[in-house]
């Protein structure tokens, strides 16, 4: 069962957070790329995303085209580079393998 949809306020906060994160893609240094996002916002997004991820099946049926990415080791600027090369979601699909690629 899918978790309930975001409220209008939550959706606006997620959109503003994405816009703030995308602002960082043109920064030259890690210091410039430090997003201005509150801890409360991160906690809300994590709390709302967790049930969504847990509701997904263990085996996903994905449709091509899809970009397959290995483990980026939490490097945000590398993630933005992948998105610049392959397109930003939801216009492009990604499968992040994470630690599966390292094991």
């Amino acid at each position: 069962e899918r978790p309930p949809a975001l409220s209008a306020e939550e959706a606006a906060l997620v959109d503003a957070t994405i816009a703030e994160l995308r602002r960082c893609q043109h920064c030259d240094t890690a210091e410039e790329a430090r997003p201005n996002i509150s801890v409360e916002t991160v906690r809300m997004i994590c709390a709302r995303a967790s049930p969504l991820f847990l509701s997904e099946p263990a085996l996903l049926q994905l449709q091509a085209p899809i970009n397959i990415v290995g483990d980026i080791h939490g490097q945000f600027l590398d993630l933005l580079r992948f998105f610049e090369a392959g397109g930003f979601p939801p216009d492009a699909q990604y499968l992040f393998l994470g630690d599966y690629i390292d094991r």
Side-chain angles (χ1 to χ4, degrees):
E1 183 176 312
R2 303 287 289 181
L6 296 176
S7 69
E9 181 179 331
E10 290 171 328
L13 188 56
V14 169
D15 288 342
T17 302
I18 292 170
E20 174 64 11
L21 292 170
R22 288 192 70 178
R23 176 194 63 79
C24 300
Q25 79 188 83
H26 301 293
C27 297
D28 293 324
T29 66
E31 186 63 33
E32 290 176 357
R34 189 174 307 245
N36 183 20
I37 302 169
S38 72
V39 171
E40 294 79 22
T41 297
V42 173
R43 286 184 178 144
M44 183 280 295
I45 291 172
C46 289
R48 295 292 275 139
S50 182
L52 178 64
F53 290 136
L54 292 173
S55 73
E56 292 290 326
L59 178 64
L60 299 175
Q61 293 187 2
L62 306 172
Q63 300 294 317
I66 190 163
N67 297 292
I68 300 173
V69 180
D71 193 347
I72 62 171
H73 300 283
Q75 297 300 308
F76 179 66
L77 295 178
D78 289 347
L79 174 67
L80 289 177
R81 285 188 201 100
F82 278 113
F83 288 165
E84 286 174 359
F88 280 81
D91 297 327
Q93 294 188 93
Y94 289 86
L95 173 63
F96 291 92
L97 299 177
D99 280 340
Y100 288 109
I101 201 76
D102 292 339
R103 306 290 168 185

